[in-house]
Amino acid sequence: MEKKWWQDKIAYQVYPKSFLDSNGDGIGDIPGVISKLDYLKQLGVDIVWLSPVYPSPLADEGYDISDYYGIDPRFGTLDDVDRLIAEAKKRNMYIVMDLVVNHCSDEHEWFRKACEDPDGKYGHYFYIRERNADGSIPTNWRSYFGGNCWEPLPGHPDKYYLHVFHKKQPDLNWENPELREDVYRMINWWLDRGIAGFRIDAIINIKKPMIFRDYPVDREDGLSDIECMLEDAQGIGKFLAEMQERTFGPHDAFSVGEVFNEKKEEIPNFIGEGGYFSSMFDFGETIFGASTKGWYDRKPCLPEDYKRCVFQSQRSVGTVGFLSNIIENHDEPRGVSRYIPAEELSARSKKALAGAYFLLRGIPFIYQGQEIGMENKTFTSREELDDISSLNEYDVALAAGCSREEALAAVSAYSRDNARTPVQWTAEENAGFTTGTPWLAVNPNYKAINAAAEEDDPDSVLNFYRRLSQLRKNPEYHEALTWGSLKPWLETQKNLMAYVRELGGQRILVSVNMQCEPQEMTLPTDRYDVILSNLESGQEPEQPSGGKVKLGGWQMTAALI
Ligand code: TEU
Ligand code: CA
């Protein structure tokens, strides 16, 4: 595969609203991000992805954009973005923005014009349909955030518009070449401004079936899972290839797609050489255990499940392309709370999980706060929730017969708000996030878990992430850890996640004991030279004997073999 500038990079996701507030209004902002670039540099971050900072009514926290060419005053100004790009550049870092073009906000000018004249130019920017002859909505599709996908078009009671997310997020009609041209113009405008690329939101949704029809009803609400519509939609490649050729390709930009439902045979088209995207997220373990009924019916992802999902994704991509690896993002609970059984959660196990995913083949993404081991928050009432998806899932759970406590427990475990509580910088009030009142309450555990406390502690999660980055960048191992193949080792040994990264004769064995009890691991070769471990200072990993090595509880080790 052709070498590209982004293949050996480490990325970090900033959710601006919750990152750092520079002016005391309780909302994180771009100047806040700029002030932490040195911190990110020290963490080994090369690429910083900003979740949306464009003008938005914030119905879906910025994923509902009302002007693609501006910056919401809550987050700063275009000048701030230019300064961010320049400051990043000084540090050899890159800024990546969020591209949200499956839909815009219902407050975007395009939608307002579509409402004024549904048969005019901008009417064709959306999916506008007449009511059915019997007065019913055009199709029975359930939106991601609950309820049906159709909303009466303001001013036109006989017409509906399609929204697969919230009703304030009308879907854009990608079949219309004029719309596509407008999107490409906007992408190129940002790339010309100096950003290095985009994370591409909800992109699998841009292709709809040519014929809109009902699918089997799967809940009491009389609607069908939106996945049925997506399954039926063929030919997304045409749009994705065109976008790549017109925008990312000529700019040599980095693009990472939010792709959930790829089929193995499509992977080369998506992220192979000359593919639609540079990379796409691996969501194998993220979607594990999901239920069409709702969050209340989800199955937990145990260490064995985690390992199986990750290896399956690694296998299906092989060396064809580069996955982007995560343990969490702004839509998910905290990875440490999700993948580590609650009673086993500790700095040691957090570091073990970090080591397990960070050295996989692909681009490691760190989500803000992950590097200090931030955990889920416990939400004690519906009023503490902000996220529209969580609010809907709470209601879904109640409607399915759960008690309030059960509904709250389900939402607490999976709420997107878990990742959106402010970053815990210090042990001071509001975790040093703001001098005002934070827009979303901080996690009360900030006195124990915060960046300042971890700074000087050699055994902290933060310092372990730094060591992981250093290992990936160390010229001695950099090539194998970037371009090397990955082969699982002793894949069926319970709660052992081990794999070998190999390139040109160099082999690095990464082994993680994902349980509190020690366990023995048979080694593939006689050699076992440890180059990194998550053990506390003063502790040494055990030496092998008789071709085996003993791994302590939640021990993670990387060794040359
Ligand atoms: O997410 C797409 C998506 O499918 C997930 O939002 C998922 O359905 C949801 O998290 C379930 O709770 C992207 C963004 O990452 C997300 O923040 C936006 O809300 C969504 O698109 C709409 O833009
Ligand atoms: Ca602010």
Side-chain angles (χ1 to χ4, degrees), residues 60 63 103 144-145 199 201 258 295 330-331 389 416:
D60 184 21
Y63 285 91
H103 45 267
Y144 286 98
F145 297 146
R199 172 267 185 182
D201 185 70
E258 191 196 19
W295 289 353
H330 67 293
D331 290 335
S389 185
R416 307 198 297 179

Side-chain angles (χ1 to χ4, degrees), residues 13 15 49 51 60-64 98 100 102-103 144-145 165-166 169 199 201-205 258 260 295 329-332 387-390 393 414 416 420:
Q13 180 187 357
Y15 192 72
W49 151 32
S51 274
D60 184 21
E61 293 300 356
Y63 285 91
D64 47 323
D98 217 303
V100 189
N102 172 68
H103 45 267
Y144 286 98
F145 297 146
F165 291 94
H166 192 256
Q169 296 168 299
R199 172 267 185 182
D201 185 70
I203 195 67
I204 49 165
N205 295 281
E258 191 196 19
F260 279 98
W295 289 353
N329 65 26
H330 67 293
D331 290 335
E332 301 299 331
D387 161 41
I388 42 176
S389 185
S390 306
E393 292 288 348
Y414 293 104
R416 307 198 297 179
R420 299 177 182 186

